[in-house]
Amino acid sequence: SYGVSPTTPTKTTKTPIIMNQAFREAANQIRQKPVKLTHNQEVARLYRKSLKVLSSWVIDRDIFLDEATRLRGRFDAERGCSNAKGVRLLREAKEELFEHTHPDPYCVAYMPGGSLFMRNPPPPLSICFPDGDIPDDAPKHTMNPDMTICKPETGKSAVGGVLIDFGKKNME
């Protein structure tokens, strides 16, 4: 198939569109914009992600607690370092986390990739109350596909469209 050239949106050219390219362009339109994080927030998310990766590798709870304590010690040892060292440590830690990422990570049952994902999604209120007479005690919030409440400040807001990546088992 042929489509519009990305350089000239008004002219139709004979540029073949590769399916992967078309999918990437569609996915980029759906993806939510990343939230700008402070250094402390990035470190906190890195620590949380490290614990999740650790839980994918370690099955025994006692071993997990020992390794989690050791991991916490590594984070606490560098607390209060200079900004330049903090940026370097953050970059190195992300690389180390990438190297140790489990090929099939554990996921909670109701998250993308889990056995309960979108099993019983709540029906829209317009279907429950077709006459438009919605009770005052009916929930007025929108739900994400992982059954959490949409909040733009958290970066998880399924208003509009959401890209669910089953390979990474997450929502983007």
Side-chain angles (χ1 to χ4, degrees), residues 108-111 114-120 147:
V108 182
Y110 57 83
M111 295 296 284
S115 60
L116 295 177
F117 178 67
M118 292 298 290
R119 169 102 31 109
N120 295 313
M147 307 306 276

Side-chain angles (χ1 to χ4, degrees), residues 21 25 27 45 48 57 61 65 69 75 85 88 92 102 104 106 109 128-129 138 142 145 158 160 172:
Q21 177 188 358
E25 290 173 4
R45 288 191 180 188
R48 182 175 166 84
W57 286 106
R61 188 72 178 163
L65 292 174
T69 303
F75 274 82
K85 185 177 180 183
R88 181 182 56 83
E92 291 172 358
H102 197 280
D104 186 22
Y106 173 78
C128 295
F129 306 100
T142 307
E172 295 181 3

Side-chain angles (χ1 to χ4, degrees), residues 129-148:
F129 306 100
D131 58 354
D133 187 24
I134 300 173
D136 294 333
D137 61 343
K140 303 284 191 283
H141 52 267
T142 307
M143 301 291 281
N144 286 314
D146 64 355
M147 307 306 276
T148 59

Side-chain angles (χ1 to χ4, degrees), residues 68-86:
T69 303
R70 196 171 301 134
L71 179 66
R72 180 61 189 227
R74 287 181 64 188
F75 274 82
D76 287 341
E78 302 298 339
R79 178 176 278 183
C81 64
S82 67
N83 286 342
K85 185 177 180 183

Side-chain angles (χ1 to χ4, degrees), residues 30-142:
I30 297 293
R31 276 197 183 96
Q32 298 176 17
K33 305 296 180 252
V35 180
K36 181 66 178 156
L37 301 175
T38 65
H39 178 74
N40 287 342
Q41 288 173 324
E42 285 189 52
V43 171
R45 288 191 180 188
L46 179 68
Y47 177 68
R48 182 175 166 84
K49 179 86 172 164
S50 300
L51 287 175
K52 287 184 178 184
V53 167
L54 180 64
S55 71
S56 292
W57 286 106
V58 179
I59 297 171
D60 187 17
R61 188 72 178 163
D62 292 330
I63 296 173
F64 174 80
L65 292 174
D66 292 340
E67 292 296 322
T69 303
R70 196 171 301 134
L71 179 66
R72 180 61 189 227
R74 287 181 64 188
F75 274 82
D76 287 341
E78 302 298 339
R79 178 176 278 183
C81 64
S82 67
N83 286 342
K85 185 177 180 183
V87 170
R88 181 182 56 83
L89 287 171
L90 191 62
R91 181 178 34 83
E92 291 172 358
K94 286 180 180 178
E95 290 170 0
E96 183 180 346
L97 182 64
F98 179 75
E99 291 173 8
H100 291 97
T101 300
H102 197 280
D104 186 22
Y106 173 78
C107 66
V108 182
Y110 57 83
M111 295 296 284
S115 60
L116 295 177
F117 178 67
M118 292 298 290
R119 169 102 31 109
N120 295 313
L125 292 178
S126 60
I127 292 177
C128 295
F129 306 100
D131 58 354
D133 187 24
I134 300 173
D136 294 333
D137 61 343
K140 303 284 191 283
H141 52 267
T142 307

